[in-house]
Amino acid sequence: MGFQDVMKALADPTRREILNILKPGALAATEIADHFTMSPAAVSKHLAILREAELVRSRREGKFIYYELSASVIEEVLLWLTDLKEDAT
């Protein structure tokens, strides 16, 4: 995980919304795209950035690609932010 990649991924509101959509569990890319008015290709690009940052992981099942949160990277970011906050007080 590159920290710059994580911050870049989290900086975009669409990608943050995708993470929220995935909180309940894994969804197919098409199901994620249904939440947005942008093209499926645009959603796919956002998913690729999230995957590169290791915030989500994907698995192929037949013709579908399912995405789910990668809790370990999210926990690392939360620990870093918590530590940063504690140091600032």
Side-chain angles (χ1 to χ4, degrees):
M1 165 191 74
F3 197 70
Q4 265 186 309
D5 293 335
V6 171
M7 291 295 122
K8 175 186 170 188
L10 292 174
D12 185 273
T14 299
R15 291 190 282 272
R16 290 193 306 268
E17 182 60 26
I18 290 171
L19 294 175
N20 279 323
I21 290 167
L22 291 173
K23 281 194 299 190
L27 290 173
T30 54
E31 294 172 305
I32 297 167
D34 287 344
H35 287 85
F36 299 96
T37 57
M38 67 184 81
S39 71
V43 173
S44 180
K45 184 172 180 165
H46 285 292
L47 288 167
I49 292 168
L50 289 168
R51 193 174 59 245
E52 288 170 16
E54 298 179 14
L55 289 165
V56 299
R57 58 181 167 250
S58 62
R59 70 178 188 283
R60 181 174 288 280
E61 288 185 20
K63 65 177 187 170
F64 296 100
I65 300 175
Y66 287 86
Y67 292 86
E68 61 187 342
L69 294 176
S70 178
S72 61
V73 173
I74 293 170
E75 287 172 0
E76 283 182 48
V77 171
L78 287 173
L79 286 172
W80 178 79
L81 289 171
T82 301
D83 188 49
L84 184 65
K85 180 183 175 205
E86 289 172 358
D87 289 347
T89 56

Short mmCIF file of all heavy atoms in Angstrom, two decimals, residues 3-59:
data_model
loop_
_atom_site.label_atom_id
_atom_site.label_comp_id
_atom_site.label_asym_id
_atom_site.label_seq_id
_atom_site.Cartn_x
_atom_site.Cartn_y
_atom_site.Cartn_z
N PHE A 3 0.98 5.07 0.66
CA PHE A 3 0.15 6.02 1.39
C PHE A 3 -0.37 7.11 0.47
O PHE A 3 -1.51 7.55 0.60
CB PHE A 3 0.93 6.60 2.56
CG PHE A 3 0.06 7.25 3.58
CD1 PHE A 3 -0.78 6.50 4.37
CD2 PHE A 3 0.06 8.63 3.72
CE1 PHE A 3 -1.61 7.10 5.29
CE2 PHE A 3 -0.77 9.24 4.64
CZ PHE A 3 -1.60 8.46 5.43
N GLN A 4 0.45 7.55 -0.49
CA GLN A 4 -0.01 8.56 -1.45
C GLN A 4 -1.18 8.05 -2.27
O GLN A 4 -2.12 8.79 -2.54
CB GLN A 4 1.13 8.96 -2.39
CG GLN A 4 1.87 10.19 -1.95
CD GLN A 4 2.87 10.60 -2.99
OE1 GLN A 4 3.67 9.79 -3.44
NE2 GLN A 4 2.85 11.86 -3.36
N ASP A 5 -1.14 6.77 -2.66
CA ASP A 5 -2.24 6.18 -3.42
C ASP A 5 -3.52 6.16 -2.60
O ASP A 5 -4.61 6.42 -3.12
CB ASP A 5 -1.90 4.75 -3.85
CG ASP A 5 -0.78 4.70 -4.87
OD1 ASP A 5 -0.58 5.69 -5.59
OD2 ASP A 5 -0.11 3.66 -4.94
N VAL A 6 -3.39 5.86 -1.31
CA VAL A 6 -4.57 5.83 -0.43
C VAL A 6 -5.17 7.22 -0.30
O VAL A 6 -6.38 7.41 -0.44
CB VAL A 6 -4.20 5.26 0.96
CG1 VAL A 6 -5.36 5.42 1.94
CG2 VAL A 6 -3.80 3.80 0.84
N MET A 7 -4.32 8.21 -0.06
CA MET A 7 -4.83 9.58 0.09
C MET A 7 -5.46 10.08 -1.21
O MET A 7 -6.49 10.74 -1.19
CB MET A 7 -3.71 10.52 0.54
CG MET A 7 -3.24 10.28 1.95
SD MET A 7 -4.56 10.62 3.14
CE MET A 7 -4.69 9.06 3.96
N LYS A 8 -4.84 9.75 -2.35
CA LYS A 8 -5.40 10.14 -3.64
C LYS A 8 -6.78 9.50 -3.83
O LYS A 8 -7.73 10.15 -4.27
CB LYS A 8 -4.47 9.71 -4.77
CG LYS A 8 -5.02 9.95 -6.16
CD LYS A 8 -4.12 9.36 -7.22
CE LYS A 8 -4.80 9.38 -8.57
NZ LYS A 8 -4.05 8.66 -9.58
N ALA A 9 -6.88 8.23 -3.48
CA ALA A 9 -8.15 7.53 -3.63
C ALA A 9 -9.23 8.12 -2.73
O ALA A 9 -10.37 8.30 -3.14
CB ALA A 9 -7.97 6.04 -3.34
N LEU A 10 -8.86 8.45 -1.50
CA LEU A 10 -9.83 8.98 -0.54
C LEU A 10 -10.20 10.44 -0.81
O LEU A 10 -11.22 10.92 -0.32
CB LEU A 10 -9.29 8.85 0.88
CG LEU A 10 -9.15 7.43 1.40
CD1 LEU A 10 -8.47 7.43 2.76
CD2 LEU A 10 -10.50 6.72 1.45
N ALA A 11 -9.40 11.13 -1.60
CA ALA A 11 -9.66 12.55 -1.88
C ALA A 11 -10.89 12.76 -2.75
O ALA A 11 -11.48 13.84 -2.73
CB ALA A 11 -8.44 13.18 -2.54
N ASP A 12 -11.28 11.76 -3.49
CA ASP A 12 -12.39 11.92 -4.44
C ASP A 12 -13.72 11.51 -3.79
O ASP A 12 -13.83 10.41 -3.26
CB ASP A 12 -12.13 11.06 -5.67
CG ASP A 12 -13.18 11.29 -6.72
OD1 ASP A 12 -14.23 10.62 -6.66
OD2 ASP A 12 -12.97 12.14 -7.60
N PRO A 13 -14.74 12.38 -3.85
CA PRO A 13 -16.03 12.05 -3.22
C PRO A 13 -16.72 10.83 -3.83
O PRO A 13 -17.41 10.09 -3.12
CB PRO A 13 -16.87 13.31 -3.39
CG PRO A 13 -16.17 14.16 -4.38
CD PRO A 13 -14.74 13.72 -4.43
N THR A 14 -16.54 10.60 -5.10
CA THR A 14 -17.16 9.42 -5.73
C THR A 14 -16.55 8.15 -5.16
O THR A 14 -17.26 7.20 -4.84
CB THR A 14 -16.97 9.44 -7.27
OG1 THR A 14 -17.63 10.60 -7.77
CG2 THR A 14 -17.55 8.19 -7.91
N ARG A 15 -15.24 8.15 -4.98
CA ARG A 15 -14.58 6.95 -4.42
C ARG A 15 -14.97 6.75 -2.97
O ARG A 15 -15.16 5.61 -2.52
CB ARG A 15 -13.08 7.04 -4.62
CG ARG A 15 -12.72 6.93 -6.10
CD ARG A 15 -11.24 6.77 -6.33
NE ARG A 15 -10.49 7.99 -6.23
CZ ARG A 15 -10.26 8.84 -7.22
NH1 ARG A 15 -10.75 8.60 -8.43
NH2 ARG A 15 -9.52 9.92 -7.04
N ARG A 16 -15.12 7.84 -2.23
CA ARG A 16 -15.59 7.69 -0.83
C ARG A 16 -17.01 7.12 -0.81
O ARG A 16 -17.34 6.29 0.04
CB ARG A 16 -15.53 9.04 -0.11
CG ARG A 16 -14.10 9.50 0.15
CD ARG A 16 -14.03 10.66 1.14
NE ARG A 16 -14.86 11.81 0.79
CZ ARG A 16 -14.44 12.85 0.08
NH1 ARG A 16 -13.20 12.90 -0.37
NH2 ARG A 16 -15.25 13.86 -0.16
N GLU A 17 -17.84 7.53 -1.76
CA GLU A 17 -19.21 7.00 -1.84
C GLU A 17 -19.17 5.51 -2.18
O GLU A 17 -19.95 4.72 -1.64
CB GLU A 17 -20.03 7.77 -2.86
CG GLU A 17 -21.47 7.30 -2.97
CD GLU A 17 -22.26 7.40 -1.67
OE1 GLU A 17 -21.93 8.23 -0.80
OE2 GLU A 17 -23.22 6.62 -1.50
N ILE A 18 -18.28 5.11 -3.07
CA ILE A 18 -18.15 3.68 -3.40
C ILE A 18 -17.79 2.89 -2.15
O ILE A 18 -18.35 1.82 -1.90
CB ILE A 18 -17.12 3.47 -4.53
CG1 ILE A 18 -17.67 4.01 -5.86
CG2 ILE A 18 -16.76 1.98 -4.66
CD1 ILE A 18 -16.66 4.04 -6.99
N LEU A 19 -16.88 3.41 -1.34
CA LEU A 19 -16.52 2.72 -0.10
C LEU A 19 -17.73 2.59 0.81
O LEU A 19 -17.95 1.54 1.42
CB LEU A 19 -15.38 3.46 0.60
CG LEU A 19 -14.03 3.47 -0.12
CD1 LEU A 19 -13.03 4.34 0.62
CD2 LEU A 19 -13.50 2.06 -0.32
N ASN A 20 -18.54 3.63 0.90
CA ASN A 20 -19.77 3.56 1.71
C ASN A 20 -20.73 2.52 1.16
O ASN A 20 -21.36 1.79 1.93
CB ASN A 20 -20.46 4.93 1.77
CG ASN A 20 -19.85 5.84 2.79
OD1 ASN A 20 -19.44 5.41 3.85
ND2 ASN A 20 -19.75 7.11 2.46
N ILE A 21 -20.85 2.46 -0.15
CA ILE A 21 -21.75 1.48 -0.78
C ILE A 21 -21.29 0.06 -0.46
O ILE A 21 -22.12 -0.85 -0.30
CB ILE A 21 -21.80 1.72 -2.31
CG1 ILE A 21 -22.54 3.02 -2.60
CG2 ILE A 21 -22.45 0.55 -3.05
CD1 ILE A 21 -22.38 3.52 -4.03
N LEU A 22 -19.99 -0.14 -0.33
CA LEU A 22 -19.45 -1.48 -0.09
C LEU A 22 -19.43 -1.87 1.39
O LEU A 22 -19.09 -3.01 1.71
CB LEU A 22 -18.03 -1.58 -0.67
CG LEU A 22 -17.95 -1.56 -2.19
CD1 LEU A 22 -16.49 -1.50 -2.64
CD2 LEU A 22 -18.65 -2.78 -2.77
N LYS A 23 -19.81 -0.97 2.28
CA LYS A 23 -19.80 -1.30 3.71
C LYS A 23 -20.60 -2.55 4.04
O LYS A 23 -20.13 -3.39 4.81
CB LYS A 23 -20.29 -0.11 4.55
CG LYS A 23 -19.23 0.94 4.74
CD LYS A 23 -19.55 1.94 5.83
CE LYS A 23 -20.79 2.73 5.58
NZ LYS A 23 -20.97 3.86 6.52
N PRO A 24 -21.80 -2.73 3.50
CA PRO A 24 -22.58 -3.93 3.85
C PRO A 24 -21.98 -5.24 3.31
O PRO A 24 -22.27 -6.31 3.83
CB PRO A 24 -23.95 -3.69 3.23
CG PRO A 24 -24.03 -2.22 2.98
CD PRO A 24 -22.62 -1.79 2.71
N GLY A 25 -21.16 -5.16 2.27
CA GLY A 25 -20.57 -6.38 1.71
C GLY A 25 -20.25 -6.24 0.24
O GLY A 25 -20.44 -5.19 -0.37
N ALA A 26 -19.75 -7.33 -0.32
CA ALA A 26 -19.29 -7.35 -1.71
C ALA A 26 -20.44 -7.10 -2.68
O ALA A 26 -21.57 -7.56 -2.46
CB ALA A 26 -18.63 -8.68 -2.02
N LEU A 27 -20.12 -6.37 -3.75
CA LEU A 27 -21.08 -6.11 -4.82
C LEU A 27 -20.37 -6.25 -6.16
O LEU A 27 -19.18 -5.97 -6.28
CB LEU A 27 -21.63 -4.68 -4.73
CG LEU A 27 -22.58 -4.36 -3.58
CD1 LEU A 27 -22.88 -2.86 -3.57
CD2 LEU A 27 -23.86 -5.15 -3.69
N ALA A 28 -21.14 -6.64 -7.16
CA ALA A 28 -20.63 -6.68 -8.52
C ALA A 28 -20.42 -5.25 -9.02
O ALA A 28 -21.11 -4.32 -8.58
CB ALA A 28 -21.59 -7.42 -9.44
N ALA A 29 -19.48 -5.09 -9.93
CA ALA A 29 -19.21 -3.76 -10.49
C ALA A 29 -20.47 -3.14 -11.07
O ALA A 29 -20.70 -1.93 -10.91
CB ALA A 29 -18.11 -3.86 -11.55
N THR A 30 -21.30 -3.94 -11.70
CA THR A 30 -22.54 -3.41 -12.28
C THR A 30 -23.49 -2.91 -11.19
O THR A 30 -24.19 -1.91 -11.41
CB THR A 30 -23.25 -4.47 -13.13
OG1 THR A 30 -23.46 -5.65 -12.34
CG2 THR A 30 -22.44 -4.83 -14.36
N GLU A 31 -23.51 -3.57 -10.05
CA GLU A 31 -24.36 -3.12 -8.94
C GLU A 31 -23.86 -1.80 -8.37
O GLU A 31 -24.66 -0.94 -7.98
CB GLU A 31 -24.41 -4.19 -7.85
CG GLU A 31 -25.08 -5.47 -8.27
CD GLU A 31 -24.95 -6.56 -7.23
OE1 GLU A 31 -23.81 -6.88 -6.83
OE2 GLU A 31 -25.99 -7.10 -6.82
N ILE A 32 -22.55 -1.65 -8.32
CA ILE A 32 -21.97 -0.39 -7.85
C ILE A 32 -22.30 0.72 -8.83
O ILE A 32 -22.73 1.81 -8.44
CB ILE A 32 -20.45 -0.53 -7.66
CG1 ILE A 32 -20.15 -1.57 -6.58
CG2 ILE A 32 -19.81 0.81 -7.32
CD1 ILE A 32 -18.70 -2.03 -6.53
N ALA A 33 -22.15 0.44 -10.11
CA ALA A 33 -22.42 1.44 -11.15
C ALA A 33 -23.87 1.91 -11.13
O ALA A 33 -24.15 3.06 -11.48
CB ALA A 33 -22.06 0.88 -12.52
N ASP A 34 -24.79 1.05 -10.71
CA ASP A 34 -26.21 1.41 -10.64
C ASP A 34 -26.48 2.57 -9.68
O ASP A 34 -27.50 3.23 -9.78
CB ASP A 34 -27.06 0.20 -10.22
CG ASP A 34 -27.19 -0.84 -11.31
OD1 ASP A 34 -26.89 -0.51 -12.48
OD2 ASP A 34 -27.58 -1.98 -11.00
N HIS A 35 -25.56 2.84 -8.76
CA HIS A 35 -25.73 3.92 -7.79
C HIS A 35 -25.36 5.29 -8.36
O HIS A 35 -25.53 6.31 -7.69
CB HIS A 35 -24.88 3.65 -6.55
CG HIS A 35 -25.41 2.57 -5.68
ND1 HIS A 35 -25.13 1.23 -5.89
CD2 HIS A 35 -26.20 2.61 -4.60
CE1 HIS A 35 -25.73 0.51 -4.97
NE2 HIS A 35 -26.39 1.33 -4.17
N PHE A 36 -24.82 5.32 -9.56
CA PHE A 36 -24.29 6.56 -10.12
C PHE A 36 -24.91 6.85 -11.48
O PHE A 36 -25.37 5.95 -12.16
CB PHE A 36 -22.76 6.46 -10.26
CG PHE A 36 -22.06 6.25 -8.94
CD1 PHE A 36 -21.71 4.98 -8.52
CD2 PHE A 36 -21.77 7.32 -8.11
CE1 PHE A 36 -21.07 4.78 -7.31
CE2 PHE A 36 -21.14 7.14 -6.90
CZ PHE A 36 -20.79 5.86 -6.49
N THR A 37 -24.86 8.13 -11.87
CA THR A 37 -25.36 8.52 -13.18
C THR A 37 -24.24 8.54 -14.22
O THR A 37 -24.51 8.72 -15.40
CB THR A 37 -26.01 9.92 -13.12
OG1 THR A 37 -25.05 10.84 -12.62
CG2 THR A 37 -27.25 9.90 -12.24
N MET A 38 -23.01 8.33 -13.79
CA MET A 38 -21.88 8.30 -14.74
C MET A 38 -21.84 6.97 -15.46
O MET A 38 -22.52 6.02 -15.07
CB MET A 38 -20.57 8.57 -14.01
CG MET A 38 -20.16 7.49 -13.04
SD MET A 38 -18.68 7.90 -12.11
CE MET A 38 -19.36 8.95 -10.86
N SER A 39 -21.03 6.89 -16.49
CA SER A 39 -20.92 5.67 -17.29
C SER A 39 -20.28 4.55 -16.47
O SER A 39 -19.49 4.82 -15.54
CB SER A 39 -20.08 5.93 -18.53
OG SER A 39 -18.71 6.09 -18.17
N PRO A 40 -20.60 3.30 -16.80
CA PRO A 40 -19.93 2.18 -16.14
C PRO A 40 -18.41 2.23 -16.29
O PRO A 40 -17.67 1.84 -15.38
CB PRO A 40 -20.51 0.95 -16.84
CG PRO A 40 -21.85 1.41 -17.32
CD PRO A 40 -21.66 2.85 -17.70
N ALA A 41 -17.91 2.75 -17.41
CA ALA A 41 -16.47 2.87 -17.61
C ALA A 41 -15.85 3.84 -16.60
O ALA A 41 -14.75 3.61 -16.09
CB ALA A 41 -16.17 3.32 -19.03
N ALA A 42 -16.55 4.92 -16.31
CA ALA A 42 -16.06 5.89 -15.32
C ALA A 42 -16.04 5.27 -13.94
O ALA A 42 -15.08 5.46 -13.18
CB ALA A 42 -16.93 7.15 -15.33
N VAL A 43 -17.08 4.52 -13.59
CA VAL A 43 -17.10 3.82 -12.30
C VAL A 43 -15.96 2.82 -12.24
O VAL A 43 -15.28 2.69 -11.21
CB VAL A 43 -18.47 3.14 -12.06
CG1 VAL A 43 -18.44 2.29 -10.79
CG2 VAL A 43 -19.58 4.20 -11.97
N SER A 44 -15.72 2.12 -13.34
CA SER A 44 -14.64 1.16 -13.40
C SER A 44 -13.29 1.82 -13.13
O SER A 44 -12.43 1.25 -12.44
CB SER A 44 -14.63 0.47 -14.76
OG SER A 44 -13.59 -0.46 -14.84
N LYS A 45 -13.10 3.01 -13.63
CA LYS A 45 -11.85 3.74 -13.39
C LYS A 45 -11.70 4.05 -11.90
O LYS A 45 -10.61 3.91 -11.34
CB LYS A 45 -11.80 5.01 -14.23
CG LYS A 45 -10.51 5.76 -14.09
CD LYS A 45 -10.39 6.89 -15.06
CE LYS A 45 -9.06 7.59 -14.83
NZ LYS A 45 -8.70 8.46 -15.91
N HIS A 46 -12.78 4.47 -11.26
CA HIS A 46 -12.74 4.74 -9.82
C HIS A 46 -12.42 3.45 -9.05
O HIS A 46 -11.63 3.48 -8.11
CB HIS A 46 -14.07 5.32 -9.35
CG HIS A 46 -14.28 6.75 -9.73
ND1 HIS A 46 -13.55 7.79 -9.21
CD2 HIS A 46 -15.16 7.31 -10.61
CE1 HIS A 46 -13.96 8.93 -9.73
NE2 HIS A 46 -14.94 8.66 -10.59
N LEU A 47 -13.02 2.36 -9.47
CA LEU A 47 -12.76 1.08 -8.80
C LEU A 47 -11.30 0.67 -8.97
O LEU A 47 -10.68 0.13 -8.04
CB LEU A 47 -13.69 0.00 -9.34
CG LEU A 47 -15.15 0.12 -8.91
CD1 LEU A 47 -16.04 -0.79 -9.73
CD2 LEU A 47 -15.29 -0.19 -7.41
N ALA A 48 -10.73 0.92 -10.12
CA ALA A 48 -9.32 0.59 -10.36
C ALA A 48 -8.41 1.39 -9.43
O ALA A 48 -7.44 0.85 -8.89
CB ALA A 48 -8.96 0.85 -11.82
N ILE A 49 -8.72 2.66 -9.22
CA ILE A 49 -7.92 3.49 -8.32
C ILE A 49 -8.05 2.98 -6.89
O ILE A 49 -7.05 2.90 -6.16
CB ILE A 49 -8.32 4.97 -8.45
CG1 ILE A 49 -7.91 5.49 -9.83
CG2 ILE A 49 -7.73 5.82 -7.33
CD1 ILE A 49 -8.49 6.84 -10.19
N LEU A 50 -9.25 2.62 -6.48
CA LEU A 50 -9.44 2.06 -5.14
C LEU A 50 -8.70 0.73 -4.98
O LEU A 50 -8.12 0.45 -3.93
CB LEU A 50 -10.94 1.86 -4.85
CG LEU A 50 -11.74 3.14 -4.65
CD1 LEU A 50 -13.22 2.84 -4.66
CD2 LEU A 50 -11.32 3.83 -3.35
N ARG A 51 -8.70 -0.07 -6.03
CA ARG A 51 -8.00 -1.36 -5.99
C ARG A 51 -6.48 -1.14 -5.94
O ARG A 51 -5.79 -1.80 -5.16
CB ARG A 51 -8.39 -2.20 -7.20
CG ARG A 51 -7.98 -3.65 -7.09
CD ARG A 51 -8.51 -4.51 -8.23
NE ARG A 51 -8.06 -4.02 -9.52
CZ ARG A 51 -8.86 -3.53 -10.48
NH1 ARG A 51 -10.16 -3.49 -10.30
NH2 ARG A 51 -8.37 -3.10 -11.61
N GLU A 52 -5.97 -0.20 -6.72
CA GLU A 52 -4.53 0.11 -6.69
C GLU A 52 -4.09 0.59 -5.31
O GLU A 52 -2.97 0.31 -4.88
CB GLU A 52 -4.20 1.16 -7.74
CG GLU A 52 -4.26 0.64 -9.16
CD GLU A 52 -4.17 1.75 -10.21
OE1 GLU A 52 -3.75 2.88 -9.86
OE2 GLU A 52 -4.52 1.48 -11.36
N ALA A 53 -4.96 1.33 -4.64
CA ALA A 53 -4.67 1.81 -3.29
C ALA A 53 -4.90 0.73 -2.24
O ALA A 53 -4.65 0.95 -1.06
CB ALA A 53 -5.52 3.04 -2.97
N GLU A 54 -5.38 -0.42 -2.68
CA GLU A 54 -5.68 -1.57 -1.83
C GLU A 54 -6.78 -1.29 -0.80
O GLU A 54 -6.84 -1.91 0.26
CB GLU A 54 -4.40 -2.08 -1.15
CG GLU A 54 -3.36 -2.56 -2.13
CD GLU A 54 -2.08 -3.04 -1.47
OE1 GLU A 54 -2.07 -3.27 -0.25
OE2 GLU A 54 -1.08 -3.18 -2.20
N LEU A 55 -7.65 -0.33 -1.12
CA LEU A 55 -8.80 -0.06 -0.26
C LEU A 55 -9.94 -1.03 -0.54
O LEU A 55 -10.80 -1.24 0.31
CB LEU A 55 -9.27 1.38 -0.46
CG LEU A 55 -8.32 2.43 0.11
CD1 LEU A 55 -8.66 3.81 -0.42
CD2 LEU A 55 -8.36 2.41 1.63
N VAL A 56 -9.95 -1.59 -1.74
CA VAL A 56 -10.91 -2.65 -2.08
C VAL A 56 -10.14 -3.79 -2.74
O VAL A 56 -9.03 -3.61 -3.25
CB VAL A 56 -12.04 -2.17 -3.03
CG1 VAL A 56 -12.86 -1.07 -2.41
CG2 VAL A 56 -11.49 -1.75 -4.38
N ARG A 57 -10.72 -4.95 -2.69
CA ARG A 57 -10.17 -6.09 -3.42
C ARG A 57 -11.26 -6.62 -4.32
O ARG A 57 -12.45 -6.40 -4.07
CB ARG A 57 -9.60 -7.14 -2.49
CG ARG A 57 -10.56 -7.69 -1.49
CD ARG A 57 -9.87 -8.72 -0.58
NE ARG A 57 -10.75 -8.99 0.54
CZ ARG A 57 -10.52 -8.61 1.78
NH1 ARG A 57 -9.42 -7.98 2.08
NH2 ARG A 57 -11.38 -8.87 2.72
N SER A 58 -10.84 -7.30 -5.36
CA SER A 58 -11.82 -7.79 -6.33
C SER A 58 -11.61 -9.28 -6.56
O SER A 58 -10.52 -9.81 -6.35
CB SER A 58 -11.68 -7.03 -7.65
OG SER A 58 -10.40 -7.25 -8.21
N ARG A 59 -12.69 -9.92 -7.00
CA ARG A 59 -12.62 -11.33 -7.39
C ARG A 59 -13.58 -11.54 -8.54
O ARG A 59 -14.64 -10.91 -8.61
CB ARG A 59 -12.93 -12.25 -6.22
CG ARG A 59 -14.37 -12.24 -5.77
CD ARG A 59 -14.64 -13.23 -4.64
NE ARG A 59 -16.04 -13.34 -4.35
CZ ARG A 59 -16.76 -12.47 -3.67
NH1 ARG A 59 -16.20 -11.39 -3.18
NH2 ARG A 59 -18.05 -12.66 -3.49
#
